[in-house]
Amino acid sequence: MVAQFLRLKLRLLANIFRRSPWQVVGIVVGLVYGVGAATLLFISLVGLRFIDDVAVIRDVFIVAGGATLVGFVVFPLVFGVDDTMDPRRFALFGVPKRTLAVGLAVSAMIGIPAIALAVVLTGTVVTWSRGVGETIIAILGAGLAFGTCLLLARVATSIASVLLATRRAREVSGVLGILLVVLLSPIIVVLISIDWARSGLDVLESIAGVLGWTPLGAAFAAPGDAAAGDWGAALLKLMIAIATLGALWFAWEAVVAKVLVSPGREASAKNYRGIGWFDRMPHTATGAVAARSITYWFRDARYWVSMLMIPVVPVLVLVPLGLAGIPLAYTALVPVPLMCLLLGWSLHNDTAFDSTAIWLHVASGVRGAADRAGRLVPVLITGALVIGLGSAVTVFVLDDWRLLPSIIGVSTALLFAGLGVGSIASARFPYPAVKPGDSPFQQPQSTGAITALVQSITMLGSLLVALPAIAFAALGLFVDASWHTASFAAGVGLGLLVLVVGIWLGGRVFERRGPEILAAAMRA
């Protein structure tokens, strides 16, 4: 039975070369890069055999091995993979659960990632072959690491095939993956900022010292400890690696037994009562467009994913600024205006998000100003909350309420200017966007020049309108606090002017170019 699974896996791998010529070319290029990278790593590991600094090599192996194990878990759970050997596909063949688990686990050894991993782990055996005992432990450690990686991938892939069966689950998983990367970014920045020439080895030793006693690094640490002469620690870590592999095997058998009798997940149908926001908003053209926009922002992944990303960007900006030594009194002023800038910019291509449904706006003869104003309602509500709460929190943290007018003025200018300029740009220069129902992470077909131009103009326009408010805020911060009032007046006044003009002019453009907008949506 195991031989049948191996033949099936080989046949599936061979079938990837029966696709279109360009797909085959892409696959071959990927294989060449993968095999080339594995070969270079193998040669490098063989070269380490002749280096006497065992401690540093061991620490590097532990950290790199732990990261590899994490990758085998995180990638399937966050992004999902197409599991060609899903246990549920064998549910009707009457294969015993244990036999199926063994066959699928063994077949996992046939594949490009598994082969590349085997090549690299073979290189680690050569690195630690400094004696008979060291070589035996290196072989055992490499085998345990290989089995642990493959079983982790199998368990994670099978769980992901159940949890990520629906499109909404995959979208949420993708967002969580991005948030995880963002949360890890401060750690990455800290690691980059370390002076590795001076204290890097101490940091590496500290991380590896803890990681080597965990299931993530035990298999990679045992050969290094043996080469360093610490046989007691090497044997204990080898036992930890064996226990980890055994626990994974029992988990894999349990997962196979569970998924064989579990139906695939289906998206649950929701029952809605009434007409939702259309019943709550004013019964006017502007109210109808606003109700539709609010509904989009709550239900459409393309909108709420963008909204979730907006609070994340200030984190990516503040961490490097803090590590660069900029005082909190200045960096704390960045988040609220930055979020308002991104909020205002988020609607610069909103018309294209309607796709072919824009024909309803064109055919109904809705006034352009009503269409432009209605689309801004959810962003204006969100922006008001960000400005109000964010400004209060900022001045409370800094304990300087004199800054409040400037924060409100600059943030309002950035928000209103972005919405005003975006109202014109989305009617005059709509470019292809992600289609309704598609993943928000999918890359649409687009002409790069016009896309970059529209995005740059809307962002630059917002900054230019807010420039006087920013200048007055700087004067209030460094010269005289009375300038904060001027910043508030300039920001709110100019922002409101650009918003009104943008709605009026964008409405005129929308009314005049309605057929062209619909034609562009049909082409996209």
Side-chain angles (χ1 to χ4, degrees), residues 423-487:
S423 296
I424 302 172
S426 65
R428 182 62 184 86
F429 302 107
Y431 58 86
V434 179
K435 295 179 181 179
D438 288 347
S439 170
F441 303 104
Q442 181 174 328
Q443 182 65 31
Q445 295 293 328
S446 176
T447 53
I450 186 65
T451 300
L453 182 63
V454 173
Q455 293 176 351
S456 302
I457 288 176
T458 51
M459 183 72 72
L460 183 60
S462 303
L463 293 173
L464 287 176
V465 173
L467 190 59
I470 296 173
F472 290 143
L475 290 174
L477 193 62
F478 297 108
V479 179
D480 188 355
S482 61
W483 285 102
H484 290 308
T485 305
S487 177

Side-chain angles (χ1 to χ4, degrees), residues 50-51 59 156 186 188 202 223 233 282 301 307 318 330 332-333 348 357 376 380 429 455 482 488 490 497 502 522:
F50 305 100
I51 296 179
D59 295 340
I188 296 173
D202 295 333
M307 187 64 70
L318 290 181
Y330 302 136
L333 300 174
H348 73 277
L376 308 184
L380 286 173
F429 302 107
Q455 293 176 351
S482 61
F488 173 82
L497 176 64
M522 296 294 292

Side-chain angles (χ1 to χ4, degrees), residues 148-168:
T148 302
C149 289
L150 294 187
L151 279 182
L152 273 176
R154 287 302 314 167
V155 172
T157 302
S158 297
I159 294 175
S161 66
V162 176
L163 297 181
L164 306 182
T166 62
R167 181 175 63 86
R168 179 55 62 91

Side-chain angles (χ1 to χ4, degrees), residues 238-266:
L238 206 62
M239 297 301 296
I240 293 174
I242 293 173
T244 301
L245 185 60
L248 277 174
W249 175 254
F250 286 117
W252 169 237
E253 284 189 328
V255 168
V256 170
K258 179 66 176 178
V259 298
L260 281 177
V261 295
S262 301
R265 292 182 62 200
E266 296 182 358

Side-chain angles (χ1 to χ4, degrees), residues 185-186 188-190 193 313-326 331:
S185 60
I188 296 173
V189 173
V190 170
S193 63
V313 176
V315 176
L316 299 177
V317 174
L318 290 181
V319 172
L321 293 178
L323 293 175
I326 299 178
T331 57

Side-chain angles (χ1 to χ4, degrees), residues 16 99 299 323 472:
I16 66 177
T99 304
R299 298 184 187 175
L323 293 175
F472 290 143

Side-chain angles (χ1 to χ4, degrees), residues 72-96:
F72 272 93
V73 177
V74 172
F75 189 85
L77 287 178
V78 173
F79 302 102
V81 294
D82 184 15
D83 188 7
T84 56
M85 301 290 283
D86 191 334
R88 289 177 296 179
R89 300 186 180 187
F90 303 91
L92 301 180
F93 290 94
V95 182

